[in-house]
Amino acid sequence: MAEDTVNTGYFGDVAIKGYDPVAYFTDNKAIEGSPAYAHQWLGAEWHFASAKNRDLFIADPGKYAPQYGGYCADGVSFGTVTTNIDPQAWRIIDGKLYLSYDPGAADGFEKKPTKVVDSQKHWSEVQSTLISDKMKKDWQHMPAE
């Protein structure tokens, strides 16, 4: 996961809209995190519901971080990007967290195993698009000399 491809939504720099990535695994539900238990990783701020969850994440972020930088896994399976995700629309498949833009997309992603394969196939292409788009935006905001 490249630093420039963590989904922080349209505003700010908080991953998963402030939800705790560890809670999906430990509590089997989406739980809002708190800025009081924040951690910076890959250029984004990650929020956690407790210091324990934050420390679990710090010890092994790859285990808990959502796939595809937190972008909609269903969209990635089609080779596209959906920036907006719903933290309540998620699935853990083969020990990996996948987020989607709505519960129907999360259900479809889980019920059709080829979507995981397709998303893995398309991720490098989608990631390149995200990095290219970010570079274009950064370039457009550079001061003129």
Side-chain angles (χ1 to χ4, degrees):
M1 182 176 352
E3 181 174 329
D4 295 315
T5 56
V6 173
N7 182 6
T8 57
Y10 295 117
F11 304 102
D13 67 347
V14 179
I16 319 177
K17 296 185 176 182
Y19 277 70
D20 180 340
V22 175
Y24 292 103
F25 293 90
T26 59
D27 295 281
N28 200 32
K29 61 183 176 181
I31 298 176
E32 284 191 69
S34 166
Y37 305 112
H39 175 66
Q40 290 287 325
W41 184 65
L42 292 181
E45 185 171 296
W46 299 75
H47 291 178
F48 302 89
S50 67
K52 179 182 176 183
N53 281 9
R54 180 196 58 213
D55 295 345
L56 285 168
F57 185 86
I58 291 169
D60 193 0
K63 177 178 179 176
Y64 300 106
Q67 299 300 291
Y68 316 123
Y71 287 91
C72 176
D74 191 58
V76 173
S77 75
F78 291 103
T80 62
V81 176
T82 303
T83 301
N84 251 351
I85 51 101
D86 176 352
Q88 301 284 338
W90 61 279
R91 294 293 183 274
I92 294 176
I93 301 170
D94 295 330
K96 306 280 186 192
L97 174 61
Y98 296 92
L99 300 172
S100 294
Y101 67 92
D102 72 18
D107 283 343
F109 194 83
E110 180 179 41
K111 291 176 182 172
K112 191 170 183 186
T114 58
K115 285 192 175 253
V116 173
V117 173
D118 290 344
S119 62
Q120 291 168 347
K121 181 175 66 176
H122 290 296
W123 175 235
S124 63
E125 172 188 327
V126 170
Q127 190 177 34
S128 294
T129 299
L130 289 166
I131 291 169
S132 175
D133 287 351
K134 182 185 184 321
M135 289 173 67
K136 286 178 195 171
K137 287 177 190 170
D138 289 348
W139 181 79
Q140 289 170 348
H141 291 98
M142 288 181 68
E145 290 186 26

